[in-house]
Every structure is written in structure tokens, then in C-alpha cells.
Amino acid sequence: MDEKNENPSLATAVDEERDLTPWYAIRLYSNSLSKVADFFKENGMEYFVPMQYRDYMDENGKHRRKLRPVVSNLIFVKKTVRQQAMSELLIRCQYKMSVITRDRTTRDYYEIPAKQMYEFQAMCNPDIEMRKYLSSEESRLKVGTPVLVKHGPLKGLSGRLVRQSHKYFLLKEVPGLGVMLKVSRWCCQPIETKNPKE
């Protein structure tokens, strides 16, 4: 995969919120993530693959660290073409994959809002410690309050404030994956939701 496709810093995420182009989440049916990423790059598509450091021992018994994909069957692609054009592009690829749809009864692709995606990318920064990844099912089971971080290094990010092992985390979800970062609850402000009766 392209080394230049790095996770943005939190500041970069805030700056890029001005770009309102949504993203697609694409599920792969093979272990060809790097080749699929190359395919999108060759076709001029911007993509994102969540990465994390993995420790391993090399052939000489030395401890090494390497960036590897968090999951091997998920890639996010910026929606720079219409749905029909994206469908045709996927058909041309030799590796089977499908865009995650809104629900099982429709063929409409799920469009991840730009702000949500950029915040998710920022929270996936592999250099940030105290981060945990969750499957979609695990994320849905987490009970939490919608909040906006008002202070600290995560200032400006939004998500759900959840508690786990006596610690607080900011949870951000996108189709196929969730990410949690440790946060102080005192830095978070609940997001008010409008009363539907008003």
C-alpha cells in the first residue's frame, strides 16, 4: 500500500472538515487489501486503510514493529464519482468486493459524512496510545452519551462517551468498524438533541 496514505493528525482532520465529500466503506472478500488499494490508486481514487503497529520477531530473533491494517477486509474510498460509476469500477477489479449499503433492503450505498470520516481518520492515528478498535457489533452494544470534546488533545472531536474498565473513552463509529480513544470525561460536553415534539 502507498506509504503516503497516512492517517491525518487531529489538526488536519479539523482543517479538512471543509471538504464535504462523503466516503464509502467497502468490504473485501479476499485477503488482497494491498492490491485493492493499488487498484483504487491507479484509478485516481482517494482511499483510507486504518493501520496499527504490530510487534513481531524477525528471522534473527530481533523485536520489530510494523504498520499493518487493523482489519484485512475493509477499505474506505472517497466518493468522487457517482454510485453507478463506482459500481462499474468495482466490476472491473479482479478482486471481489462490495460497498456497504444503508440496509439490507436497498442497494443505495451508505455515504459516510465527511466530518465523521475525517474524525474517524484522526482517531485512527497509529501513534496515539490508549486506542481500541471494535467491530460494528461491539460498537453497537456500547452504551454512551453523545459528546463534543471541548478541551485537551481531542478538542473538536465528537462521538459517544463510553466507560470501560473504570476508564472513559470517546467512541467513533463508521460502517464496518469503531475506534475508541481514552479521554477525560471532564473535557467532554454532552451534545443536546432536539426534542421531536418541538
Side-chain angles (χ1 to χ4, degrees):
M1 278 179 286
D2 190 351
E3 292 293 332
K4 294 181 180 179
N5 187 36
E6 297 174 352
N7 298 295
S9 66
L10 300 185
T12 301
V14 173
D15 290 340
E16 294 193 33
E17 284 178 14
R18 299 187 191 109
D19 183 349
L20 301 179
T21 308
W23 289 68
Y24 292 135
I26 301 178
R27 195 174 303 282
L28 282 57
Y29 297 100
S30 66
N31 293 322
S32 304
L33 183 57
S34 62
K35 293 178 181 177
V36 170
D38 289 341
F39 171 80
F40 283 119
K41 180 183 176 183
E42 290 165 5
N43 283 275
M45 306 291 288
E46 183 177 343
Y47 68 88
F48 173 73
V49 176
M51 306 285 279
Q52 65 181 348
Y53 286 106
R54 297 273 177 87
D55 296 325
Y56 70 98
M57 300 292 283
D58 67 14
E59 56 187 18
N60 297 318
K62 293 185 178 180
H63 176 81
R64 304 285 187 187
R65 296 190 85 199
K66 186 176 182 179
L67 272 177
R68 297 184 185 275
V70 173
V71 289
S72 61
N73 66 339
L74 189 66
I75 187 170
F76 299 92
V77 177
K78 199 170 190 178
K79 182 194 173 185
T80 53
V81 296
R82 295 181 180 273
Q83 180 170 323
Q84 180 62 34
M86 177 61 80
S87 298
E88 293 171 359
L89 182 65
L90 298 190
I91 291 172
R92 294 208 317 266
C93 184
Q94 68 182 61
Y95 303 101
K96 187 177 179 183
M97 61 186 116
S98 65
V99 180
I100 295 178
T101 56
R102 292 192 171 278
D103 56 56
R104 294 180 180 179
T105 61
T106 180
R107 292 185 178 180
D108 292 336
Y109 293 166
Y110 187 102
E111 295 185 5
I112 306 169
K115 183 177 187 297
Q116 180 181 351
M117 189 64 200
Y118 283 125
E119 289 188 356
F120 176 76
Q121 286 178 285
M123 291 174 67
C124 287
N125 187 329
D127 294 322
I128 298 176
E129 297 181 358
M130 293 303 290
R131 185 189 62 246
K132 298 180 180 181
Y133 286 101
L134 306 173
S135 67
S136 293
E137 294 73 22
E138 291 171 323
S139 297
R140 281 194 290 268
L141 292 174
K142 292 288 183 185
V143 177
T145 305
V147 296
L148 175 67
V149 181
K150 301 293 286 186
H151 309 284
L154 304 184
K155 181 179 179 180
L157 298 182
S158 61
R160 275 192 290 141
L161 183 66
V162 300
R163 190 176 183 187
Q164 180 175 307
S165 302
H166 307 292
K167 295 182 178 69
Y168 286 93
F169 292 85
L170 182 70
L171 170 62
K172 174 67 73 173
E173 299 172 73
V174 293
L177 196 62
V179 59
M180 297 195 314
L181 291 183
K182 188 175 181 299
V183 68
S184 169
R185 68 183 178 124
W186 307 113
C187 295
C188 301
Q189 176 181 315
I191 297 175
E192 294 183 9
T193 54
K194 292 183 178 180
N195 188 334
K197 293 182 180 180
E198 293 180 355

